[in-house]
Amino acid sequence: LERAASRLRLHERSGKVVREIPVPRLGTVKGFGGCPGCRDLFLIHESFFIPPTLYRYSLDRASMTVIDSVLPPADLSDFTSEQVVYPSKDGTPVSMFLIHQKRLKRDRAAPTLLTGYGGFGVNMTPSYSPALILWLERGGLYALPNLRGGGEYGEAWHQAGMLGRKQNVFDDFIAAARWLIEKEYTRPERLAIYGGSNGGLLMGAALTQAPELFRAVVCGVPLLDMLRYHLFLMARLWIPEYGSAEDPRQADFLAAYSPYHNIQKGTAYPAVLFLSGETDSRVHPMHARKMAARLQKEGAAGRPVLLRYDREAGHGAGKPLSKRLDELADRYAFLSWQLAME
């Protein structure tokens, strides 16, 4: 990875670079395949505007050919992606992908969807999503920052966003929102955020720490009660990443950001859509249920706080296409409603 996008090089066994293998800019290379003695390498590449494509690279001819690809369902020539760098709260530079129509005007009017993850060393690199195309066709801006806690810049970047340093992740995300507003891409009334699982925790922290920045939040299968999360399902396995309230020192930093425990009565919170499933075996649905109930009681803005609760769905893996489409439709309907998109 170089600035959260893939580069591909051929090396000798000694480590000496033989050649750079050209791949499309701002993309992700994955799915390597081959065999001992073979002179061909197989790989998959995708980007924000290129569906996953299977390539054959000939080591002898230094040539790349397409083996199989999927045609996108729309003309994507009107869209573009770019990468910017902005300062976080402590001055740390953070990279961010921006995806939008080429004719986008910086007039504070773009309906903007800011997303992120920031945990477990997970790399948030360019990937293809038909739902993203829907958002762009309607004039939307999509923003994906590479927050601390991820692995895009190595293990030190991951460790800078875990345990007692988890607040760095939230600071990076909130700084991204402020940057988008300051650079006049959007304004709070047109800014929405989305994240799931560990990204759902990020959404909970963002809406409780900087509610004035956002008009709408979609919070999927989230961790929100960080003082009790480790007592349910498989969550004890995540103590090395988050810590545990059973350790008094760790309880202090968990309580400082735990979204459920930081709701303030009378605060004007954004509109929120929680997504959860009764058979979630990773993150217990009690998080979304409790948070929705408390926001409904304590919030002062009069904006909707909704819980989409599927009794026949879990954390997401293995969810059939029909359920994924239903959830996407509800998610984008909610965002379009709250951002007053035509």
Side-chain angles (χ1 to χ4, degrees):
L1 292 179
E2 182 177 67
R3 293 184 65 188
S6 293
R7 293 185 65 178
L8 188 59
R9 297 189 185 97
L10 179 65
H11 294 254
E12 294 181 353
R13 291 178 183 271
S14 66
K16 179 182 177 181
V17 176
V18 177
R19 69 177 72 98
E20 184 97 9
I21 301 174
V23 294
R25 181 176 173 269
L26 293 186
T28 301
V29 173
K30 58 186 179 181
F32 287 102
C35 65
C38 294
R39 304 300 299 167
D40 291 326
L41 168 70
F42 296 89
L43 59 97
I44 295 172
H45 174 275
E46 66 179 304
S47 74
F48 294 114
F49 305 125
I50 301 175
T53 302
L54 176 62
Y55 290 91
R56 180 203 305 265
Y57 180 75
S58 169
L59 297 172
D60 293 330
R61 296 189 300 275
S63 63
M64 188 91 79
T65 55
V66 174
I67 300 300
D68 196 12
S69 63
V70 178
L71 292 176
D75 180 6
L76 307 183
S77 60
D78 287 340
F79 309 128
T80 187
S81 60
E82 59 180 310
Q83 195 174 41
V84 299
V85 176
Y86 66 90
S88 188
K89 182 178 180 179
D90 62 0
T92 299
V94 181
S95 61
M96 177 164 58
F97 296 107
L98 300 180
I99 304 93
H100 53 81
Q101 293 183 353
K102 292 178 180 177
R103 61 180 181 272
L104 178 77
K105 296 179 181 179
R106 288 167 61 170
D107 57 2
R108 303 180 70 243
T112 299
L113 181 57
L114 172 64
T115 187
Y117 192 78
F120 295 92
V122 172
N123 297 327
M124 301 301 289
T125 58
S127 62
Y128 180 78
S129 168
L132 172 59
I133 306 306
L134 170 67
W135 184 258
L136 300 179
E137 285 180 333
R138 303 184 67 195
L141 167 66
Y142 182 81
L144 174 62
N146 300 115
L147 312 171
R148 280 176 282 189
E152 297 92 343
Y153 295 97
E155 180 57 21
W157 192 252
H158 168 214
Q159 293 187 17
M162 60 186 292
L163 295 172
R165 298 172 293 278
K166 189 68 177 175
Q167 183 60 43
N168 287 334
V169 183
F170 314 139
D171 289 343
D172 291 354
F173 189 77
I174 292 170
R178 295 190 190 281
W179 186 90
L180 289 166
I181 294 168
E182 290 168 2
K183 297 301 180 181
E184 299 188 338
Y185 284 97
T186 192
R187 61 185 188 274
E189 295 80 10
R190 301 283 274 173
L191 178 56
I193 56 177
Y194 165 72
S197 196
N198 174 74
L201 167 60
L202 173 62
M203 297 303 105
L207 79 90
T208 52
Q209 294 184 19
E212 73 283 359
L213 295 180
F214 314 111
R215 183 63 177 83
V217 181
V218 179
C219 185
V221 290
L223 287 152
L224 297 166
D225 179 349
M226 295 307 292
L227 298 185
R228 302 178 71 240
Y229 83 95
H230 63 289
L231 302 176
F232 298 90
L233 304 176
M234 62 181 291
R236 185 167 289 274
L237 299 176
W238 307 330
I239 290 176
E241 181 80 10
Y242 297 125
S244 167
E246 295 175 12
D247 179 325
R249 183 184 61 84
Q250 295 180 342
D252 287 342
F253 64 69
L254 286 167
Y257 74 76
S258 177
Y260 178 77
H261 297 93
N262 281 278
I263 295 173
Q264 303 296 320
K265 184 177 179 61
T267 298
Y269 289 108
V272 186
L273 172 62
F274 292 100
L275 309 173
S276 187
E278 187 164 317
T279 59
D280 193 332
S281 61
R282 288 178 173 265
V283 176
H284 199 287
M286 68 92 178
H287 290 276
R289 295 197 303 247
K290 289 172 53 175
M291 189 78 169
R294 192 167 181 196
L295 279 176
Q296 288 172 349
K297 180 182 178 182
E298 307 287 10
R303 293 171 180 159
V305 176
L306 308 176
L307 172 62
R308 187 187 190 279
Y309 192 71
D310 193 329
R311 294 187 179 278
E312 297 180 339
H315 199 66
K319 185 180 291 186
L321 180 60
S322 60
K323 283 189 174 296
R324 285 187 284 149
L325 290 174
D326 285 346
E327 183 180 301
L328 276 171
D330 287 348
R331 184 198 311 173
Y332 282 101
F334 174 79
L335 293 174
S336 298
W337 169 35
Q338 291 302 312
L339 299 189
M341 298 173 69
E342 296 181 357

